[in-house]
Amino acid sequence: MDQTPRLRSAFPQTPATSRRSTQYGGSPSRQRKSAPLPSIPTVAPASSQPPSDPLIPEHILDAPTQRLFVVSLAIALWSWRIYDWSMLNESEEQSLWLFMKWVAVDGVFLFGLPGLRIPWLEWDASTMALLFFFHAMADMMLMFRIPIPVSAGLAALGRNLWGAYEMAVNEHTVNAESVRFNESLILGRQIIHILPEGSAELNPSKDAFCLDQTRTEVRLPIKINSTNPIAMELLRTDLDTQQNETIHISKANIKNMHKEASRLVSYSEKPNEPKTLYYTVKKPGLYVLAKVLDETNLEVSRKRLAHTVVASCPRAAVISTKPDRCRGDLSSLEMEVVGAPPLTLKYRKLVNQVSQDATFENILPEDFSSPLARQDPGALVVPNKVDTIWAKSQRIVVPISESLGRPGNWVYSIDEVSDAFGNRVSYSARENQDPDRRLAKNHHIHQVVNVHERPTITVQGCTPQRPLKVAKGASTYLPLQYGSTGRGEVANTSYHVQYTFSAQGQVSANGELPAPVEQNPFVRKQKGQQPRIGQAGLYTVTSVSTDFCTGEVLEPASCVLQNPPEPKLTLQSTELSDKCAGRPIGLMVDFDLVGTPPFDIKYRVKKKNDRHHGEDTVRVGGLRGQLELKPPEAGHYTYEFLSISDAVYVNLPIAVSNLEQDVKPSAFARFLGSSERQTRCIEDSASLAVALSGQGPFTLEYELVHSGRRKKYTLNDVDTPKINIETEPLRDGGEYTLALISVTDAMQCKESLRDEAKIYVRPQKPKVGFKTVNGQRSINTVERKNVELPLRLEGGDGPWSVKYRDQNGRVSTLNARGMNEWLSVSDAGIYELVDVHDAACPGVVDDAAKTFEVSWKARPEMRIAPSDAFERRGNTFVKSEVCEGGDDAIEMLFKGAAPFQANYVQHVKLEQKASIADQHKEIKAASNMASMRLDTRMAGTYEYRFTQLTDSNYDHHSPAHFTPVTVQQKVNARPSAAFASPNKNYKFCSVESDGEEVVPITLHGAPPFDLEIEIKHQSAAPETVSLTGISSTSYNLRIPHSRLHVGRSSIHLRRISDSRGCIRSLDSTTPSVKISVHDAPTITELDASSNFCVGDRINFALSGTAPFHIFYTFEGHARKAVVQSTTFRRLAEKPGTFVVTGVQDSASGCKSTTHIEKHIHGLPSVRVSDGRDSYIDIHEGGSTEIQFDFGGAPPFEFTYTRSSNTEKNGRKAGAVLDMHSEVSDGHRMRVRAHEEGTYEVVSIKDRYCAYSKPGVKVGGEGGQRRLTY
């Protein structure tokens, strides 16, 4: 038929698909041939005007956007309408105006919409009128506030959807329809299907298959439909030899294939359902499904006769090469790929853990042509031509040549290889997931190339212009510096060095070496190793390499080694004499040297008769030098020159004679010790040590200079080499200079001196004393408070050390940094200053200000005023007991500085409740007396523990200064009485019976109790009853029948007292109890029959006062039902015996005993084919049996139908073809059928009950009855 016209903005058309003819279960079948359908007469289309374009062109605003704007406007209008409705008042004028307003707005909107000509919104006039009518009705109901019966509508909808619920015999509500119409009573269908012609297909999903060492077999899928084959034939063509082979699959093999396929979820047990069987092959080749035979020995049609290729799985490997390369080399790597071309190879290159992916595609050998190369690479269906040359596995070598420009680890790893058929082998997945099956065991899929740095070498610190100098017969190291083309040396390898040697004299002036030149190898295995050389000549490095790479020799590459001559010494001496007496005082020695400067000459000065001789060394920078020898003391001296060293030779002996001399040195004096300025205190003297040398005795002259005044002193006959100069007391502050003037020896030779020493004298002694506080050196403060006592320090330089004595006589030290310091104390007493020192000098204490007194203020105290109502136990005061709600207080006395504040913790342990949390409270007193009211609101034991006391001086106190005071009191609860069941209506029968009720009363307090009770009758005056001496807290009040009257009475509690004297009066608000007397109720059955079916209703009539309590048993279990009306009805939910045993109404509480027994029978049931939908396929002319299983009491009468088959799980039932009725005396019956259709039971009846499917009516007579729906 023609396609439906669509607007330009409509959704695209659904692509037309060809429908496959399917029957039960969706199994495809061959189309049956039939006469062609008559042609549909062609009707000429009526002439119509084509739809005009929208008012707003679509190139400005497209149709969907226009529709969106219209819907948005409609939502906005309805929101405005709801807002007006919410703000509506009760005025009728306002309702009328709003109704007219919205009718006009709806009319303009709805009737103006077609004028826009928006696609999909071009409605006809009748539609617009209907929409306007609905809008007008909604406006009227909203603006005039007409209520909408929503709840009633929802209730009716609920009954229509879920049905009405009724109370069943098990005392719970059930849906009566679900009980009467139970779908599980009739279960199962027998669906007979005439089998169509089947089909078979090899590899319907076009999967790829391959074989290798790890996959030694593959399973070829064979899809069968509507057939049960008993034999198959596969035709295999070998890929290498092109030989054909026929594979026969027997019935036993097919059975095993069914058994294996049944383990899959997709396998269906139904005969006509499509099934996929799997046949295992172990050889590569081209496979085709050549022949399939079914159970009738007929050949089954085969779909898409084509080849399925089972190839050898592709594989790849890295051809091993040298693992070590040098920087700058080519990789020269080859990968071998084996498979059906064109092939695709994916590999990874990791350079120092940095991954790079690469792919080689369309890997083909030379002069190769494949039909797959001209088709879709994923296609598996190839032409029928049996030519397998293109499908054979080919071996192809793929070279990889790239520059190795970065040192480190280069790892080439094969990730995946795929062939022309789409077979993929992933090596990375096998390595990660299945280590036991790694292909690396048989193939090299990795190649690690270690790229090393190239070595470099140079000579450092030696050139032909700056040669190395070594002593004759000694050796040294050739100073080589090792490096690489990277950073630093090449690690973890040895350096192989080749160098040449040419002796001195063999090198020409232009640097040419004699030929041949000797090559010397050297291997450096550890860092710091160098080749050792000792022969004089030219050394040249010619090559360097490591274990892996050759390197480069950098300049300078040559070094000259020389053996200089040994050092020699020639000396001359000149005697030094004193100018005063002409005495020898030393020698001046001149050196003439041969060798390599600088020179170190070691010599020794020996004094006669002196055991200790010191050695010294003099350094001479050139070939000539001088040494002045001046011994400090007189005597005979010998000067020995021991050895000489130069830049090359060390400690060579000197062949020169010793020098001897008698020395008499001139007098000399100097100060010993440091030359820094000394500091002294005023009135102290200074002492300095002076060292003297020469021939004694000596006369020493010195002077003391201060403030421009000089005073000279002379020390005569000094015969010791050391003397101390002691000054007189220095009484003036400032700087002094002690200068040495001259010294005269025994020969009366006087030598002038320039040495002097500086002495600084402090101008004042440090002084300490206490300052005043408010004009006094005393203070009164609170206890243990830190007090800062002010100190005054005068003179001296800080820091000062002040010693003071406290009230216990203990002397302590205070380190003061400033002149105004504070002494921190916390104890009361008199503090006295004892001594003071500054950084260098002692000081004095001011006698008038050396003491300071610290005193404490008195602490507050508290006590409880004595009274006869107290019993004291240490610091605990026990007050006499009081009743709940009584008044009581305690008096408290304070001592200290007002105002006072006492903090206490109130701990309450209630009698009938758990202890409540402690309450922290406080009481404040403006004077020395206060009264505290005790808490008696609740019964229990009260404890008031006073833990802190403060006044205006002390804010808080430790337990050491305040002893807690505790006040205890017990508050007795007032007695109470209450009915155990307040407001309960106690019911009695009109006649006395056993087990009559009593009115329980619960009492609280200390027994015995006295109780007053008031009884009020409906038609008599109230009376009061006094009950005394009740010794228990539970009391059962019994009311004699002589006091009872038909009607209602009430009992009230008025007053109660206990043994502790506490009284409680109960007012009219106290709950009371009521008493009523009624006649006994009755129950009568409305249905005389004793047999009922499940789904029936059992009805009884009740007499008495509602509500009623119905006592009955069902299947031996006692039940109790509450009925609010005079009719008792229960739905028979399940089979069993229903017995009513008694009834009780709410007025009397009396129970009438009865016995009414009803028997409930279950509905009959039937199962067709064991209650399941059984699909049976038969051939044309065949037959099968239909089995019916019954449940219930025989005999059974049932009706079943045969209808046309529909699709599996189809919702629409097939048309009823015929109907049959049968009678069975047993619980099972079999009926034979040979026609196609769906057989199912529609009604069943046993001895007591009958059941039919909902909506089914069975009519007519005879074996064939009419079935209507």
Side-chain angles (χ1 to χ4, degrees):
M1 59 183 298
D2 296 334
Q3 297 179 348
T4 303
R6 295 178 178 265
L7 297 175
R8 290 185 299 275
S9 60
F11 290 96
Q13 300 177 5
T14 302
T17 57
S18 60
R19 297 184 179 178
R20 291 181 298 176
S21 177
T22 58
Q23 293 186 352
Y24 308 100
S27 302
S29 61
R30 292 184 301 177
Q31 297 182 356
R32 298 181 179 179
K33 296 182 180 180
S34 59
L37 296 175
S39 302
I40 301 177
T42 304
V43 180
S47 62
S48 61
Q49 192 71 16
S52 61
D53 293 335
L55 182 63
I56 302 174
E58 291 193 48
H59 68 274
I60 298 177
L61 194 65
D62 58 2
T65 306
Q66 294 185 33
R67 290 193 292 270
L68 177 63
F69 286 162
V70 170
V71 173
S72 301
L73 178 60
I75 294 175
L77 290 176
W78 271 100
S79 301
W80 186 14
R81 192 193 324 263
I82 298 300
Y83 174 77
D84 286 349
W85 172 75
S86 64
M87 303 300 293
L88 184 64
N89 295 325
E90 296 297 332
S91 174
E92 294 183 359
E93 294 81 2
Q94 184 182 9
S95 299
L96 179 61
W97 184 87
L98 289 176
F99 170 71
M100 296 174 64
K101 163 189 167 182
W102 282 108
V103 168
V105 170
D106 291 338
V108 172
F109 175 74
L110 294 175
F111 290 104
L113 184 60
L116 298 177
R117 297 192 298 276
I118 301 175
W120 292 10
L121 298 181
E122 299 178 87
W123 299 318
D124 55 9
S126 58
T127 303
M128 300 304 298
L130 185 61
L131 288 175
F132 177 74
F133 173 74
F134 286 146
H135 279 72
M137 291 296 296
D139 294 338
M140 182 178 64
M141 299 184 72
L142 288 174
M143 301 311 160
F144 289 103
R145 293 185 179 274
I146 299 175
I148 302 174
V150 178
S151 59
L154 292 177
L157 180 62
R159 286 193 297 270
N160 291 333
L161 293 178
W162 299 288
Y165 280 79
E166 297 183 18
M167 189 66 68
V169 292
N170 275 331
E171 288 303 312
H172 66 273
T173 57
V174 296
N175 190 342
E177 294 297 324
S178 64
V179 175
R180 288 195 299 269
F181 301 102
N182 189 356
E183 295 181 355
S184 63
L185 296 176
I186 299 178
L187 293 178
R189 294 185 303 172
Q190 183 73 62
I191 301 173
I192 300 176
H193 177 216
I194 303 299
L195 285 176
E197 183 180 355
S199 63
E201 183 179 1
L202 176 64
N203 193 15
S205 300
K206 304 178 183 179
D207 295 331
F209 303 99
C210 68
L211 297 171
D212 58 9
Q213 295 178 355
T214 59
R215 287 172 286 190
T216 57
E217 61 182 27
V218 296
R219 303 197 325 170
L220 296 180
I222 303 175
K223 184 177 180 181
I224 59 175
N225 188 17
S226 301
T227 185
N228 187 14
I230 61 173
M232 297 183 187
E233 288 184 0
L234 289 177
L235 181 63
R236 170 184 171 271
T237 303
D238 191 270
L239 299 178
D240 296 328
T241 62
Q242 300 190 28
Q243 296 296 323
N244 292 336
E245 177 188 3
T246 301
I247 302 173
H248 299 278
I249 305 175
S250 63
K251 184 176 182 180
N253 294 336
I254 296 176
K255 184 177 180 181
N256 293 332
M257 292 164 61
H258 275 284
K259 185 176 181 182
E260 292 180 0
S262 63
R263 302 172 184 174
L264 302 177
V265 179
S266 59
Y267 184 83
S268 175
E269 296 290 345
K270 298 179 180 180
N272 292 333
E273 289 287 338
K275 301 177 181 61
T276 301
L277 307 180
Y278 295 91
Y279 182 73
T280 302
V281 296
K282 300 182 179 181
K283 295 180 182 180
L286 271 72
Y287 290 85
V288 64
L289 186 61
K291 189 176 183 181
V292 179
L293 296 178
D294 63 1
E295 293 175 334
T296 59
N297 285 327
L298 297 178
E299 187 171 350
V300 179
S301 65
R302 300 174 304 283
K303 293 185 177 181
R304 301 180 64 179
L305 181 63
H307 298 89
T308 297
V309 179
V310 179
S312 296
C313 291
R315 66 180 186 272
V318 179
I319 300 177
S320 298
T321 184
K322 291 192 307 180
D324 295 294
R325 302 290 178 84
C326 298
R327 185 173 182 175
D329 291 348
L330 295 178
S331 59
S332 300
L333 188 70
E334 292 182 344
M335 293 186 180
E336 182 185 63
V337 185
V338 179
L343 297 164
T344 301
L345 174 66
K346 293 182 181 180
Y347 71 95
R348 256 180 314 148
K349 179 178 66 177
L350 279 81
V351 181
N352 296 329
Q353 303 300 323
V354 178
S355 179
Q356 301 176 12
D357 294 332
T359 303
F360 289 129
E361 296 182 350
N362 292 325
I363 302 175
L364 296 169
E366 296 181 359
D367 300 331
F368 179 81
S369 177
S370 171
L372 297 182
R374 299 186 296 270
Q375 298 180 359
D376 182 8
L380 294 177
V381 179
V382 298
N384 292 332
K385 180 182 178 181
V386 184
D387 183 6
T388 61
I389 297 177
W390 55 269
K392 293 174 57 177
S393 295
Q394 305 284 342
R395 179 182 180 275
I396 307 171
V397 177
V398 181
I400 300 176
S401 182
E402 58 182 341
S403 178
L404 304 176
R406 295 177 59 185
N409 289 335
W410 291 54
V411 181
Y412 293 87
S413 177
I414 297 176
D415 282 349
E416 184 180 274
V417 61
S418 59
D419 62 4
F421 303 106
N423 294 304
R424 286 180 173 84
V425 177
S426 177
Y427 295 96
S428 58
R430 297 190 181 191
E431 286 185 347
N432 295 332
Q433 300 176 3
D434 195 0
D436 295 336
R437 299 178 60 187
R438 292 181 180 174
L439 291 183
K441 293 181 178 180
N442 300 323
H443 301 279
H444 300 284
I445 63 171
H446 301 290
Q447 177 65 54
V448 180
V449 178
N450 297 318
V451 180
H452 304 277
E453 295 280 3
R454 293 184 180 271
T456 61
I457 193 169
T458 183
V459 178
Q460 184 181 26
C462 177
T463 62
Q465 293 75 26
R466 298 176 58 188
L468 288 178
K469 295 181 180 181
V470 180
K472 295 179 180 179
S475 62
T476 185
Y477 293 103
L478 182 62
L480 300 179
Q481 182 178 4
Y482 302 91
S484 67
T485 54
R487 294 183 179 180
E489 301 179 4
V490 182
N492 302 322
T493 185
S494 300
Y495 276 75
H496 301 270
V497 182
Q498 292 281 346
Y499 65 93
T500 62
F501 168 72
S502 299
Q504 269 184 329
Q506 295 180 358
V507 182
S508 63
N510 57 4
E512 294 182 358
L513 299 177
V517 180
E518 180 184 358
Q519 294 285 341
N520 298 289
F522 170 73
V523 179
R524 194 203 75 160
K525 297 182 179 179
Q526 296 180 357
K527 195 170 184 179
Q529 285 184 336
Q530 300 283 16
R532 198 167 191 85
I533 57 177
Q535 194 173 1
L538 177 64
Y539 294 85
T540 303
V541 180
T542 59
S543 66
V544 64
S545 63
T546 60
D547 295 338
F548 309 104
C549 304
T550 59
E552 182 181 3
V553 179
L554 305 178
E555 293 296 333
S558 299
C559 178
V560 174
L561 178 65
Q562 295 179 351
N563 298 130
E566 297 180 354
K568 294 181 181 180
L569 171 65
T570 303
L571 55 86
Q572 294 179 357
S573 62
T574 302
E575 192 175 67
L576 300 177
S577 300
D578 185 8
K579 296 179 181 180
C580 174
R583 296 171 299 184
I585 61 174
L587 288 176
M588 177 66 71
V589 182
D590 295 324
F591 299 116
D592 292 328
L593 300 164
V594 176
T596 305
F599 301 93
D600 290 329
I601 303 171
K602 186 180 294 184
Y603 65 93
R604 181 188 300 146
V605 179
K606 296 174 63 177
K607 183 181 180 182
K608 189 177 181 180
N609 299 325
D610 192 353
R611 296 182 178 179
H612 300 285
H613 310 293
E615 295 181 355
D616 204 352
T617 303
V618 60
R619 169 159 286 199
V620 180
L623 298 178
R624 294 183 61 84
Q626 281 186 339
L627 174 63
E628 184 180 62
L629 300 173
K630 280 182 155 184
E633 298 178 359
H636 182 79
Y637 287 87
T638 300
Y639 306 103
E640 299 178 355
F641 293 90
L642 306 175
S643 63
I644 184 173
S645 302
D646 64 356
V648 178
Y649 298 91
V650 179
N651 294 331
L652 295 182
I654 302 175
V656 296
S657 59
N658 297 334
L659 302 178
E660 295 186 5
Q661 183 187 27
D662 291 327
V663 178
K664 295 179 180 180
S666 59
F668 180 76
R670 64 181 178 86
F671 287 111
L672 296 176
S674 175
S675 61
E676 295 181 357
R677 185 181 69 170
Q678 298 185 11
T679 303
R680 292 290 183 268
C681 299
I682 195 169
E683 297 181 353
D684 288 349
S685 58
S687 177
L688 292 93
V690 178
L692 301 169
S693 62
Q695 186 177 2
F698 303 96
T699 299
L700 180 63
E701 293 181 355
Y702 66 93
E703 66 179 358
L704 185 64
V705 182
H706 174 63
S707 299
R709 297 189 301 271
R710 295 174 181 271
K711 188 175 182 180
K712 295 184 178 181
Y713 300 89
T714 301
L715 295 177
N716 298 317
D717 298 329
V718 179
D719 55 359
T720 61
K722 181 179 179 182
I723 187 174
N724 289 329
I725 298 177
E726 187 80 22
T727 66
E728 61 186 11
L730 306 176
R731 302 186 184 279
D732 297 328
E735 188 174 277
Y736 290 78
T737 301
L738 185 63
L740 300 179
I741 300 174
S742 64
V743 60
T744 304
D745 61 3
M747 300 299 293
Q748 297 301 314
C749 290
K750 186 175 182 179
E751 297 286 342
S752 297
L753 303 174
R754 293 187 179 91
D755 203 3
E756 63 182 21
K758 300 292 185 180
I759 304 171
Y760 174 74
V761 179
R762 298 197 174 189
Q764 185 183 3
K765 289 186 176 181
K767 186 178 181 180
V768 67
F770 284 112
K771 294 182 182 180
T772 61
V773 178
N774 297 328
Q776 298 179 353
R777 290 185 178 87
S778 63
I779 188 172
N780 184 256
T781 182
V782 297
E783 185 178 352
R784 294 301 177 188
K785 181 180 180 181
N786 287 334
V787 180
E788 303 290 337
L789 305 183
L791 293 177
R792 181 180 64 253
L793 294 162
E794 300 175 4
D797 294 332
W800 292 266
S801 177
V802 181
K803 293 184 178 180
Y804 64 94
R805 183 183 296 110
D806 58 13
Q807 73 281 1
N808 298 323
R810 183 173 60 252
V811 177
S812 303
T813 301
L814 171 68
N815 293 322
R817 297 289 180 182
M819 303 185 72
N820 296 298
E821 193 64 44
W822 300 87
L823 175 61
S824 179
V825 298
S826 60
D827 295 329
I830 297 176
Y831 293 85
E832 180 183 0
L833 299 176
V834 177
D835 191 13
V836 62
H837 279 76
D838 66 355
C841 301
V844 296
V845 178
D846 187 358
D847 291 337
K850 68 177 182 179
T851 60
F852 203 104
E853 183 179 1
V854 179
S855 60
W856 287 347
K857 296 180 180 180
R859 290 185 175 273
E861 298 179 4
M862 185 196 79
R863 62 188 181 91
I864 305 298
S867 174
D868 295 338
F870 281 105
E871 177 184 354
R872 182 167 183 175
R873 302 171 185 171
N875 290 326
T876 301
F877 297 85
V878 181
K879 195 166 177 56
S880 57
E881 298 180 1
V882 67
C883 290
E884 182 181 4
D887 295 332
D888 204 354
I890 59 174
E891 299 293 333
M892 306 172 64
L893 303 178
F894 299 97
K895 180 180 179 182
F900 302 92
Q901 177 177 317
N903 295 341
Y904 65 94
V905 179
Q906 178 177 330
H907 176 74
V908 182
K909 185 177 181 181
L910 302 180
E911 289 185 354
Q912 299 181 1
K913 299 180 181 178
S915 298
I916 61 177
D918 293 346
Q919 301 180 15
H920 294 266
K921 299 182 179 180
E922 60 184 26
I923 181 172
K924 297 181 179 180
S927 62
N928 294 337
M929 179 179 293
S931 177
M932 187 182 80
R933 186 179 183 85
L934 300 180
D935 190 359
T936 60
R937 292 174 298 172
M938 293 182 290
T941 302
Y942 289 76
E943 181 179 278
Y944 308 87
R945 181 177 176 83
F946 294 89
T947 57
Q948 291 185 357
L949 176 63
T950 62
D951 62 358
S952 60
N953 291 330
Y954 292 92
D955 293 335
H956 58 82
H957 305 282
S958 63
H961 301 104
F962 178 76
T963 302
V965 178
T966 304
V967 177
Q968 293 180 350
Q969 185 181 38
K970 182 178 181 182
V971 178
N972 296 319
R974 291 187 297 171
S976 63
F979 292 105
S981 301
N983 299 322
K984 181 179 179 181
N985 188 5
Y986 291 90
K987 300 176 183 179
F988 295 88
C989 296
S990 56
V991 295
E992 185 173 357
S993 60
D994 295 336
E996 286 186 337
E997 289 184 286
V998 295
V999 182
I1001 301 175
T1002 303
L1003 302 98
H1004 298 277
F1009 302 95
D1010 294 338
L1011 182 66
E1012 290 185 2
I1013 297 175
E1014 183 182 40
I1015 303 176
K1016 292 183 178 180
H1017 298 287
Q1018 201 171 26
S1019 58
E1023 55 179 311
T1024 301
V1025 178
S1026 297
L1027 304 175
T1028 59
I1030 301 175
S1031 59
S1032 175
T1033 57
S1034 298
Y1035 183 73
N1036 292 327
L1037 178 63
R1038 299 183 180 275
I1039 304 175
H1041 273 265
S1042 59
R1043 296 279 185 97
L1044 297 178
H1045 304 279
V1046 176
R1048 296 181 178 273
S1049 302
S1050 61
I1051 302 177
H1052 301 268
L1053 303 176
R1054 291 307 181 199
R1055 186 174 181 276
I1056 184 174
S1057 61
D1058 63 357
S1059 61
R1060 292 180 293 201
C1062 297
I1063 302 173
R1064 182 189 296 271
S1065 298
L1066 306 175
D1067 54 14
S1068 59
T1069 60
T1070 304
S1072 60
V1073 296
K1074 295 178 176 55
I1075 301 174
S1076 58
V1077 180
H1078 299 275
D1079 292 330
T1082 60
I1083 183 171
T1084 306
E1085 55 183 320
L1086 297 179
D1087 298 320
S1089 175
S1090 61
N1091 294 314
F1092 291 85
C1093 295
V1094 171
D1096 293 343
R1097 294 175 178 84
I1098 306 175
N1099 301 311
F1100 299 91
L1102 304 174
S1103 64
T1105 304
F1108 297 91
H1109 295 275
I1110 311 300
F1111 301 90
Y1112 66 93
T1113 61
F1114 182 71
E1115 288 297 298
H1117 299 284
R1119 298 284 189 271
K1120 179 181 179 181
V1122 179
V1123 181
Q1124 302 294 335
S1125 63
T1126 57
T1127 302
F1128 174 53
R1129 174 184 293 176
R1130 285 297 178 265
L1131 179 68
E1133 175 191 7
K1134 58 176 63 176
T1137 302
F1138 180 85
V1139 180
V1140 178
T1141 58
V1143 60
Q1144 183 180 10
D1145 64 356
S1146 60
S1148 63
C1150 298
K1151 180 179 179 181
S1152 298
T1153 303
T1154 184
H1155 184 84
I1156 303 175
E1157 183 174 344
K1158 303 291 184 179
H1159 298 282
I1160 302 174
H1161 302 278
L1163 295 177
S1165 63
V1166 61
R1167 301 289 185 270
V1168 181
S1169 299
D1170 296 328
R1172 296 175 299 177
D1173 288 354
S1174 177
Y1175 294 85
I1176 297 179
D1177 297 329
I1178 62 176
H1179 291 281
E1180 193 73 28
S1183 64
T1184 185
E1185 284 188 348
I1186 304 176
Q1187 177 177 309
F1188 300 91
D1189 294 308
F1190 306 102
F1196 300 96
E1197 181 181 352
F1198 66 98
T1199 302
Y1200 68 94
T1201 63
R1202 182 178 69 88
S1203 57
S1204 60
N1205 291 336
T1206 60
E1207 293 184 359
K1208 188 177 181 181
N1209 298 327
R1211 295 183 179 180
K1212 186 177 180 181
V1216 177
L1217 302 178
D1218 51 21
M1219 181 183 65
H1220 299 273
S1221 295
E1222 301 289 345
V1223 177
S1224 174
D1225 294 330
H1227 286 82
R1228 173 169 294 181
M1229 184 176 182
R1230 289 184 173 88
V1231 176
R1232 198 156 194 88
H1234 58 275
E1235 293 181 304
E1236 183 178 71
T1238 300
Y1239 294 82
E1240 57 182 330
V1241 177
V1242 296
S1243 65
I1244 179 70
K1245 179 181 178 182
D1246 66 351
R1247 181 183 301 175
Y1248 301 103
C1249 304
Y1251 176 75
S1252 300
K1253 282 189 175 182
V1256 177
K1257 181 178 180 181
V1258 180
E1261 296 179 357
Q1264 297 272 343
R1265 298 186 182 183
R1266 184 181 178 184
L1267 185 66
T1268 60
Y1269 289 87

